[in-house]
């Protein structure tokens, strides 16, 4: 069995050498990642953009996240296993995988031709999704999946999802619907038909949100999942007696009985989600696709705050 890719020693990647805005990103040659014990080398077919990528690049997470320059950004990946390291036993060269590739420090990310990943982060790519859609599933989907698990969302309950049209929210709606929950989700008017197509009742965010939700559910909702931040007042105003809530973007919820959560890179959870995506024919909405050289433009687009679904970087999909 092939254990190491010895042929290619340099690869193309996007990297930055200093914190900053998208102007710090440079396209060029980087060394091929080394593939240690228990790791696999993945040929990247597609990588997805998440807000955390440009927040890390801006230095906003410097207090909590180690980073080594030059840093190749990107945590979401869909690709093909090229080779495996010593004692990596679960995956073989040729396997089609997805991963939320968050490692112990930021350095070798997925906006590159190749990425080395610990096997424990990998799941098998759902056959129902193409490369671009698959790349959009891991980070955003796992976030929604783990939040709804933590909240114990059950069939027959109503959940309000703040931020239904973003990457996390659009997958969260589908996961909640798959559980048999009734879903109300917020977005601007232009995205209301999109929310309906995913199975949610849309409501506009902003002033009067709590009243709009109460008009749909006078007794309140059982669960609130906040995938945007800045909604605590509305959350508390719409929760039914004994209701549960969590946020991925607002630590203040902890002072009001909620959970403030960070997504955990667990391959087994991702496999459950990938299987669910396959069996329930879940959609990953791809808003825009950029080539590897244009990651800066992809970041600028996501930074506007109105991405519907996911922005994807497609890499060498013809070979
Ligand atoms: N804690 C964690 O583990 C974790 C994990 C993933 C993400 N996050 C954070 O969670 C946030 C969302 O992530 P994401 O990947 O879903 O981002 P995203 O895809 O970039 O979100 C864009 C979406 O946000 C919607 N939006 C903007 N303002 C809104 C508001 N006030 N109310 C409702 N919707 C609004 C937009 O809808 P319209 O165009 O209709 O306005 C757009 O569809 C980001 O801050 C991200 O950093 C945290």
């Amino acid at each position: 069995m092939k254990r190491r890719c010895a042929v290619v020693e340099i690869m193309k990647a996007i990297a930055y050498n200093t914190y900053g805005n998208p102007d710090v990103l440079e396209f060029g040659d980087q060394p091929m990642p080394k593939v240690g014990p228990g790791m696999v080398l993945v040929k990247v077919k597609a990588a997805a953009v998440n807000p955390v990528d440009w927040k890390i690049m801006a230095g906003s997470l410097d207090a909590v996240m180690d980073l080594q320059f030059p840093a190749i950004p990107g945590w979401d990946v869909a690709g093909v296993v090229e080779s495996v390291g010593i004692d990596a036993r679960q995956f073989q060269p040729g396997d089609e995988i997805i991963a939320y590739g968050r490692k112990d420090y930021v350095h070798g990310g997925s906006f590159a031709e190749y990425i080395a990943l610990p096997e424990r982060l990998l799941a098998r790519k759902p056959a129902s999704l193409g490369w671009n859609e698959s790349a959009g599933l891991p980070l955003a989907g796992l976030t929604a999946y783990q939040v709804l698990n933590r909240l114990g969302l059950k069939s027959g309950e109503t959940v309000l999802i703040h931020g239904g049209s973003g990457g996390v929210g659009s997958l969260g709606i589908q996961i909640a619907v798959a559980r048999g929950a009734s879903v109300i989700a917020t977005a601007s008017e232009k995205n209301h038909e999109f929310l309906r197509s995913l199975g949610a009742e849309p409501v506009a965010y902003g002033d009067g949100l709590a009243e709009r939700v109460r008009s749909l559910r006078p007794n309140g909702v059982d669960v609130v999942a906040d995938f945007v931040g800045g909604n605590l007042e509305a959350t508390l105003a719409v929760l039914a007696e004994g209701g549960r809530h969590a946020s991925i973007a607002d630590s203040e919820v902890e002072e009001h009985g909620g959970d403030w959560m960070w997504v955990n890179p667990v391959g087994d959870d991702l496999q459950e989600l990938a299987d669910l995506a396959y069996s329930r024919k879940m959609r990953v909405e791809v808003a825009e696709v950029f080539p590897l050289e244009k990651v800066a433009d992809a970041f600028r687009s996501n930074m506007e705050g109105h991405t519907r679904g996911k922005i994807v970087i497609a890499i060498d999909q013809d070979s």
Side-chain angles (χ1 to χ4, degrees):
M1 183 201 303
K2 191 174 169 193
R3 290 267 173 201
R4 215 37 197 91
C5 177
V7 184
V8 190
E9 288 167 339
I10 295 287
M11 64 173 183
K12 295 291 182 200
I14 285 283
Y16 53 95
N17 276 288
T18 178
Y19 285 141
N21 64 32
D23 295 343
V24 301
L25 291 170
E26 290 173 27
F27 175 72
D29 290 340
Q30 292 291 334
M32 281 288 287
K34 292 183 181 168
V35 191
M39 298 184 75
V40 302
L41 183 70
V42 175
K43 187 175 191 323
V44 181
K45 293 289 188 180
V49 173
N50 289 283
V52 73
D53 298 324
W54 44 262
K55 291 178 186 179
I56 292 172
M57 183 183 69
S60 309
L61 277 77
D62 186 62
V64 292
M65 201 147 278
D66 276 330
L67 179 147
Q68 188 184 327
F69 295 117
I72 299 173
W75 277 342
D76 265 336
V77 58
V80 180
V81 174
E82 174 86 4
S83 64
V84 300
I86 298 162
D87 212 24
R89 296 180 186 280
Q90 296 172 44
F91 292 88
Q92 304 284 328
D95 286 350
E96 298 187 347
I97 63 90
I98 56 173
Y100 165 28
R102 190 179 100 202
K103 295 181 266 188
D104 292 342
Y105 62 96
V106 178
H107 176 61
S110 59
F111 299 149
E113 289 179 310
Y114 293 88
I115 184 172
L117 292 168
E119 273 194 308
R120 63 184 152 75
L121 301 184
L122 268 53
R124 294 184 191 278
K125 171 186 166 294
S128 52
L129 298 177
W131 288 117
N132 293 344
E133 292 81 11
S134 295
L137 186 67
L139 193 157
L142 260 189
T143 304
Y145 190 68
Q146 291 174 349
V147 167
L148 296 176
N149 279 352
R150 176 85 63 89
L151 288 168
L153 180 68
K154 294 190 287 285
S155 178
E157 290 190 315
T158 297
V159 56
L160 168 65
I161 290 181
H162 292 296
S165 53
V168 181
S170 58
L171 292 162
I173 291 171
Q174 297 177 79
I175 294 165
V177 167
R179 286 181 181 210
S182 154
V183 185
I184 300 171
T186 68
S188 60
E189 188 76 36
K190 69 176 188 303
N191 282 320
H192 283 193
E193 200 44 51
F194 173 57
L195 297 195
R196 278 190 202 98
S197 75
L198 299 176
E201 292 172 78
V203 285
Y205 55 79
D207 286 347
L209 170 60
E211 290 72 24
R212 287 190 287 282
V213 174
R214 281 276 177 189
S215 74
L216 294 173
R217 296 291 187 286
N219 295 327
V221 301
D222 305 295
V223 169
V224 178
D226 170 30
F227 298 145
V228 177
N231 293 298
L232 186 55
E233 203 176 314
T235 292
L236 298 176
V238 302
L239 264 186
E241 182 93 16
R244 295 101 66 199
H245 67 110
S247 178
I248 60 169
D250 193 347
S251 60
E252 250 190 277
V253 293
E254 288 192 316
E255 292 156 35
H256 298 270
D259 268 318
W260 179 41
M261 291 186 58
W262 266 64
V263 57
N264 208 342
V266 179
D268 290 347
D269 281 6
L270 183 58
Q271 191 61 62
E272 286 175 18
L273 174 63
D275 293 345
L276 183 72
Y278 177 75
S279 64
R280 301 289 304 199
K281 299 189 173 58
M282 278 171 56
R283 281 166 54 190
V284 178
E285 175 82 2
V286 174
E288 290 176 280
V289 181
F290 291 85
L292 185 56
E293 310 87 271
K294 300 284 185 190
V295 170
D297 290 339
F299 277 15
R300 288 186 192 101
S301 176
N302 189 231
M303 287 165 82
E304 288 172 13
H306 295 288
T307 302
R308 177 193 285 181
K310 299 299 301 176
I311 291 174
V312 170
I313 309 301
I315 304 169
D316 194 18
Q317 293 185 0
D318 296 330
S319 63

